[in-house]
């Protein structure tokens, strides 16, 4: 990862989850919060959510409703 992304080269990623609707969409749980990639992990964006600034430890996408995501955090 390059500089200027929400997960920088020295950032800590706690979990990765593949979106079941597209192999190009990934979610990362990081020390900076919940991040999303739409290009297979080359570039990342921080999702504006209540998790910004919290460590995201676990991400799970509901297998019966891919529009629903469960996120486990520390300190939220």
């Amino acid at each position: 990862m390059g500089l200027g992304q929400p997960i920088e080269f020295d950032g800590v990623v706690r979990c990765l989850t593949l979106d079941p609707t597209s192999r190009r969409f990934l979610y990362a749980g990081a020390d900076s919060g919940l991040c999303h990639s739409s290009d297979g992990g080359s570039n990342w964006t921080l999702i504006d959510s209540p998790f910004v600034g919290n460590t995201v430890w676990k991400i799970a996408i509901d297998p019966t409703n891919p529009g629903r995501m469960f996120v486990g955090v520390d300190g939220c």
Side-chain angles (χ1 to χ4, degrees):
M1 307 232 186
L3 296 172
Q5 294 194 50
I7 310 170
E8 294 190 355
F9 68 95
D10 62 346
V12 177
V13 173
R14 303 292 178 178
C15 61
L16 286 172
T17 301
L18 181 65
D19 188 314
T21 63
S22 173
R23 293 185 159 272
R24 297 185 55 74
F25 297 153
L26 297 167
Y27 296 96
D31 287 346
S32 57
L34 180 62
C35 298
H36 176 260
S37 174
S38 59
D39 59 7
S42 294
N43 295 288
W44 293 90
T45 57
L46 183 64
I47 296 174
D48 186 21
S49 69
F51 314 119
V52 172
N54 293 287
T55 301
V56 174
W57 289 90
K58 183 68 178 173
I59 302 165
I61 298 176
D62 186 337
T64 60
N65 180 1
R68 181 182 302 168
M69 177 186 296
F70 302 94
V71 179
V73 298
D74 181 25
C76 189

